[in-house]
């Protein structure tokens, strides 16, 4: 029998929507406070070398293999997927343009961030979650260390500082992978391939990829550490923290990618109104395609 | 004669986790130099009380005071600094998995002092010997230690900074009777070696008999009426064992009593 006092049965969907909204707002507020604590400790007391170096190694060096493999394969996949369409238009030599611009502006940063969220973010949440449930975080506080300063700041700095480098690696291996497949398998002339590849990618495109990646790195570290710090007891709690760290970071990466993409586009138009941005160069490519089809 | 100010105090402290109340209007004082033992059933809020006293948790209402000043009035930096005067032995020892035994014990020294490495090594080895372990244990990782060894390393780490206040959270739980006695003796030795205020949370009546100057017993809120106090006993260990309150005698003698009837009803 449904109880009269049962709020769900009394308020139904309105109560449900309210509850979800409150939960979201509570979590957003909690993450914001957590982030301000990171910023506070980062500006108050920088982590010691003994603490920072292992985080840099874990985040940067150990992520290299997976980023290299992913970048190279995505470059090759892009070449295969776009080759047929470009060949129909006799524009095979311009394959490098589409591969490189896609990698530098979009796929490089997003893939490096996804790999970081999967490899480092989940591990961070699981590690800090285990420390939470085994009272190691309380032990840090009890010994006069601030857990945010000691555990989170080095991991945040590692993600924030190293993700642009990982993005460069993903870009470079993707570009090389795309070129390798185009030249040696699809038999496209290397000279023409590189000529088009370079002319369609400008410094601003490189900058926008790097710029976005720093936000992705910060988001991954904040979300993963927050999930770990708020882990519930038991193996299930730790597992859930690791899963949530990846899922929430990934969603945040996509949202940030869209927002920052729009912002960077607007910034480009503002700074160089006469050029109309790197997009105009892309439009040239589209115009060529349209003319060919018509 | 003026009454001495307690070193630690809870005033009308309540603590709630989500919808779950754990402590309600608890008043507790800890005098300088005494060993206070907190007993009570699992889930009655003993460990939470200890965490409130050191400021690892904030009370939902009421105040936790250290040297007559509320912890809530202290900044994060001040709290971190004051905690150097505390040593805390956690229930599961809470050793850092990624660090060796040496690094675990050296942690509070490196964190809170600028001592040279050689001096840190000397102190760590002293503490290791003090808890009855060989110095060869220093290079091991916590995963390679037995439960009793972990507790002793945890104790060595808690003692590293020569604290004024020692907190022991179920120091003998999960240990065999001999190792439990070793830990009880270490608690006593710590008090003999240096002036220290101790708070021990335990279920172990041998610990109560052996180390307690004063005993307080907490009762779970779920079994209390709205107006009943949560601290149901306060006195010496002898008084606890001779108590006329059936809730106290059942606990100290380890008798299930009406709980068995509850089980059979369920």
């Amino acid at each position: 029998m449904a109880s009269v006092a049962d709020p769900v049965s009394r308020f139904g969907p309105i109560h449900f929507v309210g509850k979800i909204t409150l939960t979201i707002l509570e979590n957003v507020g909690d993450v914001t406070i957590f982030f301000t604590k990171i910023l506070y400790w980062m500006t108050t007391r920088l982590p010691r070398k003994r603490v920072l170096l292992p985080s840099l190694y874990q985040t940067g060096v150990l992520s290299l293999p997976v980023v290299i493999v992913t970048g190279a394969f995505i470059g090759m996949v892009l070449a295969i997927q776009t080759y047929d369409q470009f060949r129909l238009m006799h524009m095979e030599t311009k394959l490098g343009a589409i591969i490189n611009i896609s990698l530098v502006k979009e796929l490089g940063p997003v893939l490096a961030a996804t790999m970081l969220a999967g490899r480092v973010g989940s591990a961070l949440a699981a590690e800090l979650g285990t420390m939470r449930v085994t009272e190691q975080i309380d032990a840090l506080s009890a010994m006069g260390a601030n857990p945010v300063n000691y555990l989170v700041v080095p991991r945040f700095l590692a993600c924030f500082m190293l993700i642009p480098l990982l993005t460069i690696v993903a870009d470079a291996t993707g570009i090389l992978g795309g070129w390798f497949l185009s030249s040696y398998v699809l038999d496209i002339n290397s000279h023409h391939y590189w000529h088009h590849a370079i002319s369609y990618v400008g410094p601003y495109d490189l900058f926008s990829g790097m710029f976005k990646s720093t936000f992705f790195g910060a988001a991954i570290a904040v979300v993963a550490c927050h999930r770990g710090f708020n882990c519930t007891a038991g193996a299930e709690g730790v597992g859930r923290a690791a899963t949530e760290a990846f899922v929430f970071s990934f969603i945040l990466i996509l949202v940030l990618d869209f927002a920052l993409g729009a912002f960077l586009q607007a910034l480009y138009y503002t700074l160089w109104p006469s050029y109309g941005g790197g997009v105009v160069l892309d439009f040239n490519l589209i115009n060529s395609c349209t003319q060919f089809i018509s | 004669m003026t009454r001495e100010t307690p070193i630690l105090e809870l005033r009308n402290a309540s603590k709630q986790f989500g919808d779950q109340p754990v402590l309600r209007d608890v008043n507790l004082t800890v005098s300088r130099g005494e060993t206070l033992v907190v007993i009570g059933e699992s889930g009655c809020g003993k460990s939470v009380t200890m965490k409130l006293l050191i400021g690892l948790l904030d009370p939902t209402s009421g105040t936790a005071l250290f040297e007559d000043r509320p912890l809530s009035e202290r900044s994060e930096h001040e709290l971190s600094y004051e905690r150097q005067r505390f040593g805390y032995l956690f229930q599961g020892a809470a050793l850092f998995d990624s660090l060796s035994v040496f690094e675990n014990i050296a942690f509070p020294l490196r964190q809170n002092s600028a001592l040279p490495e050689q001096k840190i090594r000397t102190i760590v080895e002293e503490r290791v010997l003090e808890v009855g372990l060989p110095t060869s244990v220093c290079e091991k990782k916590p995963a390679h230690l037995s439960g009793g060894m972990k507790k002793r390393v945890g104790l060595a780490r808690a003692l590293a900074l020569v604290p004024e206040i020692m907190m022991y959270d179920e120091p003998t739980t999960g240990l065999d009777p001999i190792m439990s006695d070793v830990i009880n003796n270490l608690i006593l030795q710590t008090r003999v070696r240096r002036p220290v205020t101790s708070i021990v949370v335990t279920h172990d009546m041998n610990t109560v008999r052996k180390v307690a100057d004063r005993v307080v017993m907490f009762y779970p809120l779920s079994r209390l009426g709205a107006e009943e106090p949560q601290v149901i006993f306060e006195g010496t260990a002898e008084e606890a064992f001779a108590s006329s309150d059936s809730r106290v005698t059942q606990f100290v003698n380890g008798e299930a009593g009406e709980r068995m009837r509850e089980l059979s009803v369920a």
Side-chain angles (χ1 to χ4, degrees):
Chain A
M1 190 182 84
S3 161
V4 180
D6 182 359
V8 177
S9 57
R10 275 182 73 186
F11 299 108
I14 294 172
H15 176 262
F16 179 74
V17 170
K19 199 176 166 187
I20 295 277
T21 312
L22 276 177
T23 310
I24 291 170
L25 286 176
E26 205 173 288
N27 278 307
V28 169
D30 208 32
V31 171
T32 311
I33 291 168
F34 190 70
F35 182 52
T36 53
K37 280 184 185 171
I38 298 173
L39 292 180
Y40 169 76
W41 280 105
M42 217 160 60
T43 48
T44 310
R45 189 177 179 180
L46 276 174
R48 294 178 188 180
K49 204 165 63 177
R50 182 195 295 276
V51 182
L52 184 60
L53 286 180
S55 285
L56 293 175
Y57 178 76
Q58 281 284 337
T59 307
V61 178
L62 295 184
S63 296
L64 273 176
V66 73
V67 169
I68 288 171
V69 170
T70 315
F73 274 93
I74 285 296
M76 291 194 285
V77 167
L78 274 175
I80 285 185
Q81 296 288 353
T82 45
Y83 175 72
D84 284 342
Q85 282 76 22
F86 275 62
R87 190 166 58 93
L88 282 174
M89 298 181 278
H90 302 292
M91 291 168 64
E92 301 96 306
T93 52
K94 290 194 173 181
L95 210 57
I98 197 77
I99 292 171
N100 293 1
I101 198 78
S102 311
L103 277 165
V104 167
K105 281 183 85 170
E106 197 58 45
L107 288 172
V110 171
L111 278 174
T114 309
M115 289 299 111
L116 200 72
R119 208 197 76 78
V120 177
S122 303
L124 272 185
E127 186 189 2
L128 296 182
T130 307
M131 289 185 79
R132 164 65 71 204
V133 299
T134 55
E135 295 188 306
Q136 290 178 52
I137 292 181
D138 283 341
L140 273 174
S141 299
M143 286 187 283
N146 184 283
V148 172
N149 180 238
Y150 186 79
L151 294 172
V152 182
V153 170
R155 286 159 174 84
F156 176 85
L157 284 175
C159 287
F160 181 72
M161 292 191 307
L162 292 181
I163 200 172
L165 301 180
L166 290 172
T167 301
I168 290 174
V169 172
D171 289 350
T173 52
I175 288 168
L176 286 175
W179 163 74
F180 171 79
L181 202 99
S182 305
S183 293
Y184 291 96
V185 179
L186 305 174
D187 215 20
I188 296 167
N189 182 283
S190 252
H191 171 77
H192 293 298
Y193 179 92
W194 282 116
H195 172 73
H196 292 299
I198 291 165
S199 61
Y200 281 99
V201 181
Y204 190 78
D205 302 316
L206 272 170
F207 161 76
S208 38
M210 303 293 160
F211 181 76
K212 285 197 292 187
S213 73
T214 56
F215 283 81
F216 299 159
I220 292 164
V222 173
V223 169
C225 293
H226 180 263
R227 288 292 84 204
F229 262 55
N230 291 284
C231 176
T232 50
E236 192 192 353
V238 175
R240 192 182 300 131
T243 309
E244 285 176 356
F246 178 73
V247 173
F248 293 160
S249 316
F250 189 59
I251 292 170
L252 204 53
I253 287 166
L254 295 178
V255 172
L256 282 171
D257 189 35
F258 170 74
L260 291 168
F263 166 75
L264 288 163
Q265 191 101 315
L267 183 69
Y268 192 93
Y269 288 144
T270 313
L271 293 175
W272 295 283
S274 55
Y275 281 97
V279 177
V280 164
L281 294 173
D282 292 347
F283 283 155
N284 288 339
L285 185 65
I286 295 164
N287 287 339
S288 312
C289 300
T290 322
Q291 277 166 19
F292 177 82
I293 293 163
S294 59
Chain B
M1 194 180 89
T2 53
R3 188 174 158 269
E4 196 194 344
T5 310
I7 190 164
L8 292 165
E9 187 177 357
L10 287 183
R11 277 188 204 154
N12 301 318
S14 300
K15 183 67 188 174
Q16 191 160 333
F17 294 100
D19 300 333
Q20 181 76 40
V22 179
L23 291 178
R24 185 182 63 206
D25 288 331
V26 170
N27 287 295
L28 184 74
T29 57
V30 185
S31 303
R32 201 177 291 272
E34 77 165 334
T35 299
L36 172 72
V37 176
V38 183
I39 57 172
E41 292 174 40
S42 297
C44 69
K46 305 182 297 291
S47 301
V48 170
T49 301
M50 206 145 75
K51 287 182 179 172
L52 291 178
L53 287 169
I54 193 179
L56 289 178
L57 291 173
D58 295 321
T60 311
S61 66
T63 320
L65 299 102
F66 174 49
E67 293 182 330
D68 216 23
R69 197 175 147 218
L71 291 175
S72 55
E73 283 180 9
R74 293 163 204 251
S75 69
E76 196 80 24
H77 280 287
E78 207 180 340
L79 263 182
S80 296
Y81 183 74
E82 296 285 19
R83 286 196 189 118
Q84 294 172 39
R85 297 167 63 190
F86 288 76
Y88 200 124
L89 175 59
F90 286 85
Q91 194 175 338
L95 300 176
F96 304 128
D97 307 319
S98 55
L99 305 182
S100 68
V101 166
F102 176 85
E103 287 167 326
N104 263 285
I105 302 171
F107 184 89
L109 299 164
R110 284 178 175 153
Q111 182 66 28
N112 301 304
S113 73
L115 290 171
E117 270 306 298
Q118 190 51 46
K119 180 71 181 161
I120 287 175
R121 179 158 287 278
T122 311
I123 296 172
V124 169
E125 287 178 356
E126 269 175 25
R127 296 291 174 271
V128 167
L129 293 170
E130 204 174 297
V131 297
L133 290 170
T135 51
S136 58
V137 84
C138 284
E139 304 317 313
K140 290 188 175 174
K141 285 283 179 83
H144 300 128
L145 304 178
S146 68
M149 287 167 96
K150 278 184 190 167
K151 282 272 165 81
R152 285 193 278 171
V153 172
L155 182 56
R157 185 176 70 178
L159 293 170
L161 286 170
V162 195
E164 290 169 48
I165 302 150
M166 270 301 299
M167 294 179 149
Y168 304 88
D169 190 358
E170 302 195 17
T172 58
T173 299
L175 301 181
D176 63 73
I178 294 168
M179 192 47 66
S180 297
D181 202 43
V182 168
I183 298 289
N184 289 336
N185 283 318
L186 286 171
I187 295 173
L188 285 175
Q189 275 176 29
T190 305
R191 205 168 60 171
V192 171
R193 279 200 180 96
R194 50 184 77 93
V196 66
T197 306
S198 307
I199 303 156
V200 185
V201 162
T202 189
H203 296 133
D204 186 342
M205 288 307 120
N206 286 328
T207 306
V208 176
R209 277 196 194 92
K210 208 153 190 172
V211 307
D213 291 331
R214 190 159 62 95
V215 180
V216 292
M217 180 167 168
F218 281 54
Y219 208 63
L221 273 185
S222 56
R223 298 186 168 278
L224 288 171
E227 298 301 320
E228 285 182 285
Q230 200 169 2
V231 177
I232 60 164
F233 172 82
E234 191 168 351
T236 62
E238 291 73 26
E239 286 167 350
F241 286 102
S243 172
S244 57
D245 186 332
S246 62
R247 296 171 300 182
V248 180
T249 50
Q250 268 179 19
F251 186 82
V252 297
N253 296 322
E255 292 162 354
E258 81 280 358
R259 303 296 167 86
M260 286 310 292
R261 284 194 292 279
E262 286 174 18
L263 281 176
S264 54
V265 169

